[in-house]
Amino acid sequence: MALIVHKYGGTSMGSPERIRNVAKRVAKWARAGHQMVVVPSAMSGETNRLLGLAKELSPELSTPDLLRELDAIAATGEQVSSGLLAIALQAEGMASVSYAGWQVAIATDSAHTKARIQSIDDVRVRADLAVGKVVVITGFQGVDENGNITTLGRGGSDTSAVAVAAALKAHECLIYTDVDGVYTTDPRIVPEARRLSTISFEEMLELASLGAKVLQIRSVEFAGKYRVPLRVLSSFTPWDINIVEEATSGTLITFEEDEKMEQAVVSGIAFNRDEAKISLLGVPDKPGIAFQILGPVADANIDVDVIIQNVSHGGKTDFSFTVHRNDYARTVALLKAQVMPKTGDAQLTGDTKICKVSIVGIGMRSHVGVASRMFSTLSDEGINIQMITTSEIKTSVVIDEKYMELAVRALHKAFDLEQPAAA
Ligand code: ADP
Ligand code: ASP
Ligand code: MG
Protein backbone atom coordinates (compact mmCIF):
# COMPACT_ATOMS: atom_id res chain seq x y z
CA MET A 1 0.00 0.00 0.00
CA ALA A 2 1.39 3.40 -0.98
CA LEU A 3 0.44 7.02 -0.53
CA ILE A 4 -0.22 8.45 -4.00
CA VAL A 5 -1.07 12.00 -5.08
CA HIS A 6 -3.11 12.51 -8.25
CA LYS A 7 -3.48 15.92 -9.88
CA TYR A 8 -6.21 16.57 -12.46
CA GLY A 9 -6.05 19.65 -14.71
CA GLY A 10 -8.90 21.86 -15.87
CA THR A 11 -9.84 19.88 -18.97
CA SER A 12 -9.83 16.64 -16.98
CA MET A 13 -12.26 18.29 -14.51
CA GLY A 14 -14.16 20.08 -17.29
CA SER A 15 -17.71 18.70 -16.79
CA PRO A 16 -19.72 16.65 -14.29
CA GLU A 17 -19.21 13.65 -16.56
CA ARG A 18 -15.42 14.09 -16.51
CA ILE A 19 -15.43 14.61 -12.76
CA ARG A 20 -17.34 11.34 -12.42
CA ASN A 21 -14.64 9.67 -14.48
CA VAL A 22 -11.94 11.13 -12.26
CA ALA A 23 -13.81 9.84 -9.21
CA LYS A 24 -14.05 6.34 -10.72
CA ARG A 25 -10.34 6.36 -11.51
CA VAL A 26 -9.37 7.54 -8.03
CA ALA A 27 -11.72 5.00 -6.44
CA LYS A 28 -10.01 2.27 -8.48
CA TRP A 29 -6.63 3.32 -7.03
CA ALA A 30 -8.03 3.49 -3.49
CA ARG A 31 -9.63 0.06 -3.84
CA ALA A 32 -6.29 -1.30 -4.99
CA GLY A 33 -5.13 -0.46 -1.48
CA HIS A 34 -3.52 2.97 -1.91
CA GLN A 35 -3.96 6.01 0.30
CA MET A 36 -5.16 8.69 -2.09
CA VAL A 37 -4.80 12.45 -2.09
CA VAL A 38 -6.26 14.27 -5.11
CA VAL A 39 -5.48 17.83 -6.17
CA PRO A 40 -7.90 19.19 -8.80
CA SER A 41 -7.72 22.39 -10.85
CA ALA A 42 -10.70 24.58 -11.53
CA MET A 43 -12.97 23.36 -14.35
CA SER A 44 -11.50 24.43 -17.69
CA GLY A 45 -12.15 28.06 -18.56
CA GLU A 46 -13.28 28.88 -15.03
CA THR A 47 -10.15 30.74 -13.85
CA ASN A 48 -10.21 32.89 -17.01
CA ARG A 49 -13.90 33.58 -16.48
CA LEU A 50 -13.35 34.65 -12.88
CA LEU A 51 -10.37 36.87 -13.73
CA GLY A 52 -12.39 38.34 -16.62
CA LEU A 53 -15.22 39.33 -14.26
CA ALA A 54 -12.75 41.18 -12.05
CA LYS A 55 -11.20 42.95 -15.04
CA GLU A 56 -14.63 44.15 -16.16
CA LEU A 57 -14.87 46.10 -12.93
CA SER A 58 -11.28 47.33 -12.91
CA PRO A 59 -9.11 46.83 -16.00
CA GLU A 60 -5.85 47.72 -14.22
CA LEU A 61 -5.46 45.25 -11.36
CA SER A 62 -1.98 45.88 -10.03
CA THR A 63 -2.12 47.33 -6.52
CA PRO A 64 -1.59 44.90 -3.59
CA ASP A 65 -5.14 45.52 -2.36
CA LEU A 66 -6.64 44.65 -5.74
CA LEU A 67 -4.40 41.62 -6.19
CA ARG A 68 -5.58 40.36 -2.81
CA GLU A 69 -9.18 40.47 -4.03
CA LEU A 70 -8.22 38.88 -7.34
CA ASP A 71 -6.82 35.89 -5.44
CA ALA A 72 -9.96 35.60 -3.35
CA ILE A 73 -11.95 35.45 -6.60
CA ALA A 74 -9.65 33.14 -8.59
CA ALA A 75 -9.33 30.64 -5.75
CA THR A 76 -13.05 29.86 -5.82
CA GLY A 77 -12.67 27.86 -9.05
CA GLU A 78 -10.64 25.17 -7.30
CA GLN A 79 -12.95 25.17 -4.30
CA VAL A 80 -15.92 24.32 -6.51
CA SER A 81 -14.13 21.53 -8.37
CA SER A 82 -12.80 20.04 -5.12
CA GLY A 83 -16.24 19.95 -3.56
CA LEU A 84 -17.70 18.41 -6.72
CA LEU A 85 -15.01 15.75 -6.78
CA ALA A 86 -15.60 14.85 -3.12
CA ILE A 87 -19.32 14.47 -3.90
CA ALA A 88 -18.55 12.34 -6.95
CA LEU A 89 -16.26 10.12 -4.88
CA GLN A 90 -18.94 9.64 -2.26
CA ALA A 91 -21.38 8.77 -5.02
CA GLU A 92 -18.89 6.04 -5.99
CA GLY A 93 -19.02 4.73 -2.43
CA MET A 94 -15.67 6.22 -1.38
CA ALA A 95 -15.42 8.15 1.88
CA SER A 96 -13.99 11.49 0.91
CA VAL A 97 -13.45 15.01 2.21
CA SER A 98 -12.33 18.18 0.45
CA TYR A 99 -10.20 20.96 1.92
CA ALA A 100 -9.42 24.47 0.71
CA GLY A 101 -5.79 25.59 1.00
CA TRP A 102 -6.37 27.45 4.25
CA GLN A 103 -8.06 24.44 5.84
CA VAL A 104 -5.07 22.13 5.32
CA ALA A 105 -3.19 24.61 5.79
CA ILE A 106 -0.96 25.31 2.78
CA ALA A 107 1.07 28.29 4.03
CA THR A 108 2.46 30.70 1.44
CA ASP A 109 4.14 34.08 1.35
CA SER A 110 1.98 37.12 0.62
CA ALA A 111 2.93 37.66 -3.04
CA HIS A 112 -0.65 37.69 -4.35
CA THR A 113 -1.16 35.99 -7.76
CA LYS A 114 2.32 34.44 -7.60
CA ALA A 115 2.67 33.25 -4.02
CA ARG A 116 5.24 30.63 -3.02
CA ILE A 117 4.40 27.70 -0.78
CA GLN A 118 6.35 27.82 2.47
CA SER A 119 4.99 24.86 4.40
CA ILE A 120 2.15 22.35 4.46
CA ASP A 121 0.57 21.02 7.63
CA ASP A 122 -0.07 17.30 7.14
CA VAL A 123 -1.93 16.54 10.40
CA ARG A 124 -5.50 16.79 9.15
CA VAL A 125 -4.76 14.98 5.90
CA ARG A 126 -2.97 12.11 7.60
CA ALA A 127 -5.82 11.65 10.08
CA ASP A 128 -8.31 11.34 7.21
CA LEU A 129 -6.08 8.96 5.27
CA ALA A 130 -5.68 6.82 8.36
CA VAL A 131 -9.45 6.22 8.49
CA GLY A 132 -9.58 5.38 4.79
CA LYS A 133 -10.83 8.64 3.33
CA VAL A 134 -9.79 10.01 -0.03
CA VAL A 135 -8.57 13.54 0.64
CA VAL A 136 -9.24 16.19 -2.00
CA ILE A 137 -7.12 19.35 -1.69
CA THR A 138 -7.71 22.47 -3.79
CA GLY A 139 -4.92 23.19 -6.22
CA PHE A 140 -3.57 26.68 -6.98
CA GLN A 141 -4.24 28.25 -3.59
CA GLY A 142 -2.84 28.78 -0.13
CA VAL A 143 -3.05 31.14 2.79
CA ASP A 144 -0.57 33.75 4.00
CA GLU A 145 0.41 34.45 7.59
CA ASN A 146 -2.38 37.01 7.91
CA GLY A 147 -5.06 34.58 6.79
CA ASN A 148 -5.36 36.04 3.27
CA ILE A 149 -6.11 33.63 0.43
CA THR A 150 -3.26 33.52 -2.07
CA THR A 151 -2.81 31.86 -5.47
CA LEU A 152 0.35 30.36 -6.91
CA GLY A 153 0.40 31.71 -10.49
CA ARG A 154 -1.31 30.30 -13.58
CA GLY A 155 -0.92 26.56 -13.84
CA GLY A 156 -0.19 26.48 -10.11
CA SER A 157 -2.17 23.34 -9.31
CA ASP A 158 0.80 21.31 -10.54
CA THR A 159 2.87 22.97 -7.84
CA SER A 160 0.20 22.35 -5.19
CA ALA A 161 0.19 18.65 -6.05
CA VAL A 162 3.95 18.22 -5.99
CA ALA A 163 4.27 20.23 -2.76
CA VAL A 164 1.55 18.10 -1.13
CA ALA A 165 3.35 14.96 -2.35
CA ALA A 166 6.62 16.26 -0.88
CA ALA A 167 5.00 17.15 2.46
CA LEU A 168 3.35 13.73 2.73
CA LYS A 169 6.45 11.92 1.38
CA ALA A 170 4.17 10.33 -1.19
CA HIS A 171 5.33 7.33 -3.15
CA GLU A 172 4.54 9.15 -6.43
CA CYS A 173 2.81 12.23 -7.79
CA LEU A 174 0.81 11.59 -10.96
CA ILE A 175 -0.10 14.64 -13.04
CA TYR A 176 -3.15 13.71 -15.14
CA THR A 177 -3.74 16.04 -18.07
CA ASP A 178 -5.15 16.28 -21.60
CA VAL A 179 -2.01 14.91 -23.28
CA ASP A 180 -0.53 11.50 -22.55
CA GLY A 181 2.85 12.78 -21.40
CA VAL A 182 5.62 15.25 -22.11
CA TYR A 183 6.30 15.61 -25.83
CA THR A 184 9.31 16.82 -27.80
CA THR A 185 7.29 20.01 -28.25
CA ASP A 186 3.68 21.08 -27.84
CA PRO A 187 1.72 18.55 -29.92
CA ARG A 188 -0.84 21.26 -30.64
CA ILE A 189 1.81 23.08 -32.70
CA VAL A 190 3.65 20.12 -34.14
CA PRO A 191 1.38 17.10 -34.64
CA GLU A 192 4.48 14.95 -35.35
CA ALA A 193 5.84 15.64 -31.86
CA ARG A 194 6.88 12.47 -30.05
CA ARG A 195 6.06 11.48 -26.48
CA LEU A 196 9.09 10.97 -24.28
CA SER A 197 8.83 7.98 -21.95
CA THR A 198 11.33 9.66 -19.63
CA ILE A 199 12.82 13.13 -19.41
CA SER A 200 15.58 14.28 -17.09
CA PHE A 201 14.66 16.63 -14.32
CA GLU A 202 17.07 19.27 -15.66
CA GLU A 203 15.55 19.20 -19.14
CA MET A 204 12.04 19.35 -17.73
CA LEU A 205 13.03 22.32 -15.61
CA GLU A 206 14.36 24.16 -18.67
CA LEU A 207 11.36 23.28 -20.86
CA ALA A 208 8.92 24.41 -18.18
CA SER A 209 10.80 27.65 -17.55
CA LEU A 210 10.98 28.34 -21.29
CA GLY A 211 7.26 28.04 -21.84
CA ALA A 212 6.19 24.37 -22.07
CA LYS A 213 3.11 24.74 -19.95
CA VAL A 214 2.55 21.03 -19.46
CA LEU A 215 4.09 21.50 -15.97
CA GLN A 216 4.37 24.73 -14.02
CA ILE A 217 8.05 25.51 -13.43
CA ARG A 218 7.72 25.60 -9.65
CA SER A 219 6.26 22.10 -9.58
CA VAL A 220 9.43 20.84 -11.27
CA GLU A 221 11.58 22.81 -8.83
CA PHE A 222 9.72 21.20 -5.92
CA ALA A 223 10.08 17.75 -7.44
CA GLY A 224 13.84 18.31 -7.73
CA LYS A 225 14.29 19.75 -4.28
CA TYR A 226 12.36 17.00 -2.50
CA ARG A 227 13.03 14.23 -5.02
CA VAL A 228 9.32 13.63 -5.62
CA PRO A 229 8.78 10.90 -8.21
CA LEU A 230 6.73 12.69 -10.86
CA ARG A 231 4.84 11.34 -13.86
CA VAL A 232 2.72 13.13 -16.48
CA LEU A 233 -0.06 11.03 -18.00
CA SER A 234 -3.45 11.16 -19.67
CA SER A 235 -6.76 11.48 -17.86
CA PHE A 236 -8.51 10.45 -21.08
CA THR A 237 -7.67 6.76 -20.97
CA PRO A 238 -10.66 4.63 -19.88
CA TRP A 239 -10.89 4.93 -16.08
CA ASP A 240 -10.89 1.14 -15.70
CA ILE A 241 -7.62 0.62 -17.59
CA ASN A 242 -5.34 -1.89 -15.88
CA ILE A 243 -3.73 -0.06 -12.96
CA VAL A 244 -0.22 -1.41 -13.60
CA GLU A 245 -0.43 -0.31 -17.22
CA GLU A 246 -1.68 3.10 -16.11
CA ALA A 247 1.04 3.49 -13.48
CA THR A 248 3.77 3.00 -16.08
CA SER A 249 2.24 5.10 -18.85
CA GLY A 250 3.02 8.71 -19.76
CA THR A 251 6.35 10.39 -19.04
CA LEU A 252 8.47 9.87 -15.94
CA ILE A 253 10.70 12.74 -14.79
CA THR A 254 14.02 11.08 -13.93
CA PHE A 255 16.81 12.24 -11.70
CA GLU A 256 19.61 10.19 -13.25
CA GLU A 257 21.41 11.61 -16.22
CA ASP A 258 23.46 8.84 -17.67
CA GLU A 259 20.62 6.86 -19.18
CA LYS A 260 20.08 9.83 -21.52
CA MET A 261 23.63 9.99 -22.78
CA GLU A 262 23.02 7.95 -25.91
CA GLN A 263 19.90 9.87 -26.81
CA ALA A 264 19.22 12.90 -28.94
CA VAL A 265 21.33 16.02 -28.49
CA VAL A 266 18.18 18.10 -28.33
CA SER A 267 15.31 16.59 -26.33
CA GLY A 268 12.68 19.23 -26.72
CA ILE A 269 11.62 22.61 -28.05
CA ALA A 270 9.74 25.23 -26.06
CA PHE A 271 8.27 28.55 -27.03
CA ASN A 272 6.92 31.53 -25.21
CA ARG A 273 4.74 34.36 -26.46
CA ASP A 274 4.55 36.11 -23.11
CA GLU A 275 7.46 38.49 -23.49
CA ALA A 276 7.92 41.95 -24.99
CA LYS A 277 11.13 43.65 -26.12
CA ILE A 278 12.22 47.12 -25.14
CA SER A 279 15.18 48.87 -26.82
CA LEU A 280 17.03 52.02 -25.91
CA LEU A 281 18.79 53.23 -29.05
CA GLY A 282 21.84 55.46 -28.87
CA VAL A 283 22.56 55.37 -25.15
CA PRO A 284 26.06 56.48 -24.04
CA ASP A 285 28.42 53.46 -24.10
CA LYS A 286 30.04 53.92 -20.70
CA PRO A 287 30.56 51.80 -17.58
CA GLY A 288 27.40 51.51 -15.53
CA ILE A 289 24.92 52.00 -18.36
CA ALA A 290 23.34 48.56 -17.93
CA PHE A 291 22.85 49.23 -14.26
CA GLN A 292 21.50 52.70 -14.97
CA ILE A 293 18.81 51.18 -17.22
CA LEU A 294 18.02 47.95 -15.42
CA GLY A 295 18.48 49.12 -11.82
CA PRO A 296 15.13 50.98 -11.69
CA VAL A 297 13.45 48.06 -13.49
CA ALA A 298 14.69 45.64 -10.84
CA ASP A 299 13.70 48.04 -8.07
CA ALA A 300 10.16 47.96 -9.45
CA ASN A 301 10.18 44.16 -9.08
CA ILE A 302 10.02 43.59 -12.83
CA ASP A 303 11.83 40.47 -14.07
CA VAL A 304 14.12 40.95 -17.04
CA ASP A 305 14.84 37.94 -19.22
CA VAL A 306 16.98 38.25 -22.38
CA ILE A 307 19.43 41.17 -22.52
CA ILE A 308 21.55 42.30 -25.46
CA GLN A 309 23.94 45.24 -25.85
CA ASN A 310 25.19 46.08 -29.32
CA VAL A 311 28.72 47.13 -30.27
CA SER A 312 29.47 50.77 -29.78
CA HIS A 313 29.26 53.28 -32.64
CA GLY A 314 30.63 56.75 -31.98
CA GLY A 315 30.47 56.29 -28.22
CA LYS A 316 26.83 55.22 -28.36
CA THR A 317 25.24 51.80 -28.16
CA ASP A 318 21.83 50.13 -28.40
CA PHE A 319 20.54 48.22 -25.39
CA SER A 320 17.58 45.80 -25.55
CA PHE A 321 15.92 43.51 -23.08
CA THR A 322 12.71 41.54 -22.65
CA VAL A 323 10.13 41.61 -19.87
CA HIS A 324 6.82 39.82 -19.39
CA ARG A 325 4.13 41.38 -21.59
CA ASN A 326 2.07 42.16 -18.50
CA ASP A 327 4.95 44.36 -17.30
CA TYR A 328 5.57 46.05 -20.65
CA ALA A 329 3.54 49.24 -20.16
CA ARG A 330 4.83 49.68 -16.62
CA THR A 331 8.45 49.24 -17.74
CA VAL A 332 8.12 51.74 -20.59
CA ALA A 333 6.52 54.31 -18.28
CA LEU A 334 9.24 53.78 -15.71
CA LEU A 335 12.05 54.14 -18.24
CA LYS A 336 10.51 57.32 -19.63
CA ALA A 337 10.21 58.81 -16.17
CA GLN A 338 13.44 57.67 -14.54
CA VAL A 339 16.00 56.63 -17.16
CA MET A 340 15.44 58.58 -20.38
CA PRO A 341 16.06 61.99 -18.82
CA LYS A 342 19.62 60.78 -18.03
CA THR A 343 20.48 59.19 -21.39
CA GLY A 344 20.84 62.24 -23.62
CA ASP A 345 19.03 61.87 -26.95
CA ALA A 346 18.49 58.10 -26.71
CA GLN A 347 15.32 56.75 -28.34
CA LEU A 348 13.00 54.20 -26.75
CA THR A 349 11.27 51.61 -28.92
CA GLY A 350 9.25 48.57 -27.99
CA ASP A 351 7.91 45.43 -29.63
CA THR A 352 5.20 43.29 -28.09
CA LYS A 353 4.96 40.97 -31.09
CA ILE A 354 7.96 38.80 -30.37
CA CYS A 355 8.37 35.25 -29.19
CA LYS A 356 11.16 33.19 -27.73
CA VAL A 357 11.92 29.76 -29.17
CA SER A 358 14.29 27.47 -27.28
CA ILE A 359 15.99 24.14 -27.88
CA VAL A 360 16.79 22.09 -24.79
CA GLY A 361 18.90 18.99 -24.24
CA ILE A 362 21.53 17.73 -21.82
CA GLY A 363 23.29 16.31 -24.88
CA MET A 364 24.23 19.91 -25.73
CA ARG A 365 26.87 19.71 -22.99
CA SER A 366 28.87 17.20 -24.94
CA HIS A 367 28.17 18.28 -28.52
CA VAL A 368 29.42 21.33 -30.35
CA GLY A 369 27.66 23.06 -33.23
CA VAL A 370 24.14 22.64 -31.88
CA ALA A 371 23.44 26.36 -31.66
CA SER A 372 24.86 26.99 -35.12
CA ARG A 373 22.54 24.29 -36.52
CA MET A 374 19.67 26.13 -34.90
CA PHE A 375 20.74 29.42 -36.49
CA SER A 376 21.25 27.91 -39.94
CA THR A 377 17.82 26.23 -39.78
CA LEU A 378 16.16 29.54 -39.00
CA SER A 379 18.17 31.30 -41.67
CA ASP A 380 17.06 28.69 -44.26
CA GLU A 381 13.48 29.63 -43.37
CA GLY A 382 14.26 33.34 -43.75
CA ILE A 383 13.65 34.00 -40.06
CA ASN A 384 15.62 36.88 -38.57
CA ILE A 385 17.04 36.36 -35.07
CA GLN A 386 16.69 39.44 -32.89
CA MET A 387 18.29 38.18 -29.68
CA ILE A 388 20.14 35.07 -28.54
CA THR A 389 20.74 33.62 -25.11
CA THR A 390 22.41 30.34 -24.19
CA SER A 391 23.15 28.23 -21.16
CA GLU A 392 24.74 24.82 -20.78
CA ILE A 393 21.71 22.84 -21.94
CA LYS A 394 19.62 25.35 -23.92
CA THR A 395 19.77 27.97 -26.65
CA SER A 396 16.97 30.51 -27.01
CA VAL A 397 16.30 33.00 -29.76
CA VAL A 398 13.91 35.91 -29.86
CA ILE A 399 12.14 36.24 -33.22
CA ASP A 400 9.08 37.90 -34.73
CA GLU A 401 5.97 36.30 -33.27
CA LYS A 402 4.51 35.60 -36.71
CA TYR A 403 7.29 33.06 -37.41
CA MET A 404 6.87 31.11 -34.20
CA GLU A 405 5.11 28.03 -35.55
CA LEU A 406 7.34 27.92 -38.61
CA ALA A 407 10.45 28.11 -36.42
CA VAL A 408 9.29 25.41 -34.03
CA ARG A 409 8.34 23.05 -36.87
CA ALA A 410 11.59 23.63 -38.75
CA LEU A 411 13.73 23.08 -35.64
CA HIS A 412 11.73 20.01 -34.66
CA LYS A 413 12.56 18.49 -38.03
CA ALA A 414 16.18 19.69 -38.12
CA PHE A 415 16.94 18.03 -34.79
CA ASP A 416 15.24 14.74 -35.76
CA LEU A 417 12.60 14.94 -33.06
CA GLU A 418 9.75 13.62 -35.17
CA GLN A 419 8.05 10.33 -34.58
CA PRO A 420 9.73 7.47 -36.39
CA ALA A 421 7.90 6.91 -39.68
CA ALA A 422 5.62 3.88 -39.63
CA ALA A 423 7.38 0.81 -41.10
P1 ADP B 1 -3.86 21.02 -17.34
O1 ADP B 1 -5.12 21.80 -17.44
O2 ADP B 1 -4.07 19.54 -17.27
O3 ADP B 1 -2.93 21.52 -16.28
P2 ADP B 1 -2.30 22.40 -19.34
O4 ADP B 1 -3.08 23.00 -20.45
O5 ADP B 1 -1.81 23.30 -18.27
O6 ADP B 1 -3.14 21.21 -18.76
O7 ADP B 1 -1.03 21.61 -19.92
C1 ADP B 1 -1.21 20.64 -20.91
C2 ADP B 1 -0.94 21.25 -22.27
O8 ADP B 1 0.43 21.61 -22.36
C3 ADP B 1 -1.12 20.32 -23.44
O9 ADP B 1 -2.47 20.29 -23.88
C4 ADP B 1 -0.20 20.88 -24.50
O10 ADP B 1 -0.87 21.66 -25.45
C5 ADP B 1 0.73 21.80 -23.71
N1 ADP B 1 2.16 21.52 -23.93
C6 ADP B 1 3.11 22.46 -24.17
N2 ADP B 1 4.29 21.90 -24.35
C7 ADP B 1 4.13 20.57 -24.20
C8 ADP B 1 5.01 19.45 -24.27
N3 ADP B 1 6.31 19.60 -24.51
N4 ADP B 1 4.50 18.23 -24.06
C9 ADP B 1 3.18 18.07 -23.80
N5 ADP B 1 2.30 19.08 -23.72
C10 ADP B 1 2.76 20.31 -23.93
N1 ASP C 1 -6.91 27.06 -12.36
C1 ASP C 1 -5.58 27.65 -12.36
C2 ASP C 1 -5.25 28.18 -13.74
O1 ASP C 1 -6.07 28.12 -14.65
C3 ASP C 1 -4.52 26.70 -11.87
C4 ASP C 1 -4.29 25.48 -12.72
O2 ASP C 1 -5.12 25.13 -13.56
O3 ASP C 1 -3.27 24.80 -12.49
O4 ASP C 1 -4.19 28.71 -13.94
MG1 MG D 1 -1.59 23.14 -16.24
Short mmCIF file of all heavy atoms in Angstrom, two decimals, residues 7 41-42 47 78 140 153-158, ligand 2:
data_model
loop_
_atom_site.label_atom_id
_atom_site.label_comp_id
_atom_site.label_asym_id
_atom_site.label_seq_id
_atom_site.Cartn_x
_atom_site.Cartn_y
_atom_site.Cartn_z
N LYS A 7 -3.06 14.55 -9.56
CA LYS A 7 -3.48 15.92 -9.88
C LYS A 7 -4.25 15.89 -11.19
O LYS A 7 -3.80 15.26 -12.17
CB LYS A 7 -2.26 16.84 -9.98
CG LYS A 7 -2.62 18.28 -10.33
CD LYS A 7 -2.41 18.60 -11.78
CE LYS A 7 -2.98 19.94 -12.17
NZ LYS A 7 -2.71 20.31 -13.56
N SER A 41 -7.67 21.00 -10.39
CA SER A 41 -7.72 22.39 -10.85
C SER A 41 -9.17 22.82 -10.95
O SER A 41 -10.08 21.98 -10.88
CB SER A 41 -7.13 22.51 -12.25
OG SER A 41 -5.77 22.27 -12.24
N ALA A 42 -9.36 24.09 -11.21
CA ALA A 42 -10.70 24.58 -11.53
C ALA A 42 -11.15 23.96 -12.86
O ALA A 42 -10.31 23.57 -13.68
CB ALA A 42 -10.67 26.10 -11.67
N THR A 47 -11.05 29.71 -14.40
CA THR A 47 -10.15 30.74 -13.85
C THR A 47 -10.16 31.97 -14.76
O THR A 47 -10.23 33.10 -14.27
CB THR A 47 -8.74 30.16 -13.69
OG1 THR A 47 -8.84 28.93 -12.98
CG2 THR A 47 -7.84 31.11 -12.92
N GLU A 78 -11.14 26.45 -7.82
CA GLU A 78 -10.64 25.17 -7.30
C GLU A 78 -11.51 24.66 -6.15
O GLU A 78 -11.63 23.45 -5.95
CB GLU A 78 -9.18 25.34 -6.84
CG GLU A 78 -8.12 25.06 -7.89
CD GLU A 78 -8.08 26.06 -9.03
OE1 GLU A 78 -8.68 27.14 -8.90
OE2 GLU A 78 -7.44 25.77 -10.07
N PHE A 140 -3.70 25.27 -6.59
CA PHE A 140 -3.57 26.68 -6.98
C PHE A 140 -3.60 27.68 -5.83
O PHE A 140 -3.29 28.83 -6.01
CB PHE A 140 -4.70 26.99 -7.99
CG PHE A 140 -4.69 28.32 -8.67
CD1 PHE A 140 -3.53 28.84 -9.26
CD2 PHE A 140 -5.86 29.07 -8.78
CE1 PHE A 140 -3.56 30.07 -9.94
CE2 PHE A 140 -5.89 30.30 -9.44
CZ PHE A 140 -4.74 30.79 -10.01
N GLY A 153 0.03 31.46 -9.08
CA GLY A 153 0.40 31.71 -10.49
C GLY A 153 -0.32 30.73 -11.39
O GLY A 153 -0.68 29.62 -10.96
N ARG A 154 -0.55 31.13 -12.65
CA ARG A 154 -1.31 30.30 -13.58
C ARG A 154 -0.64 28.94 -13.72
O ARG A 154 0.59 28.83 -13.77
CB ARG A 154 -1.44 30.99 -14.94
CG ARG A 154 -2.20 32.30 -14.93
CD ARG A 154 -3.59 32.19 -14.25
NE ARG A 154 -4.49 31.23 -14.83
CZ ARG A 154 -5.36 31.49 -15.79
NH1 ARG A 154 -5.47 32.72 -16.26
NH2 ARG A 154 -6.15 30.56 -16.25
N GLY A 155 -1.45 27.92 -13.77
CA GLY A 155 -0.92 26.56 -13.84
C GLY A 155 -0.44 26.04 -12.50
O GLY A 155 0.18 24.99 -12.41
N GLY A 156 -0.78 26.78 -11.42
CA GLY A 156 -0.19 26.48 -10.11
C GLY A 156 -0.68 25.22 -9.43
O GLY A 156 -0.09 24.79 -8.43
N SER A 157 -1.72 24.58 -9.96
CA SER A 157 -2.17 23.34 -9.31
C SER A 157 -1.11 22.24 -9.40
O SER A 157 -1.05 21.35 -8.54
CB SER A 157 -3.47 22.83 -9.93
OG SER A 157 -4.48 23.77 -9.76
N ASP A 158 -0.30 22.29 -10.45
CA ASP A 158 0.80 21.31 -10.54
C ASP A 158 1.69 21.45 -9.30
O ASP A 158 2.10 20.45 -8.69
CB ASP A 158 1.68 21.59 -11.78
CG ASP A 158 0.94 21.43 -13.08
OD1 ASP A 158 0.00 20.62 -13.14
OD2 ASP A 158 1.31 22.12 -14.06
N1 ASP B 2 -6.91 27.06 -12.36
C1 ASP B 2 -5.58 27.65 -12.36
C2 ASP B 2 -5.25 28.18 -13.74
O1 ASP B 2 -6.07 28.12 -14.65
C3 ASP B 2 -4.52 26.70 -11.87
C4 ASP B 2 -4.29 25.48 -12.72
O2 ASP B 2 -5.12 25.13 -13.56
O3 ASP B 2 -3.27 24.80 -12.49
O4 ASP B 2 -4.19 28.71 -13.94
#
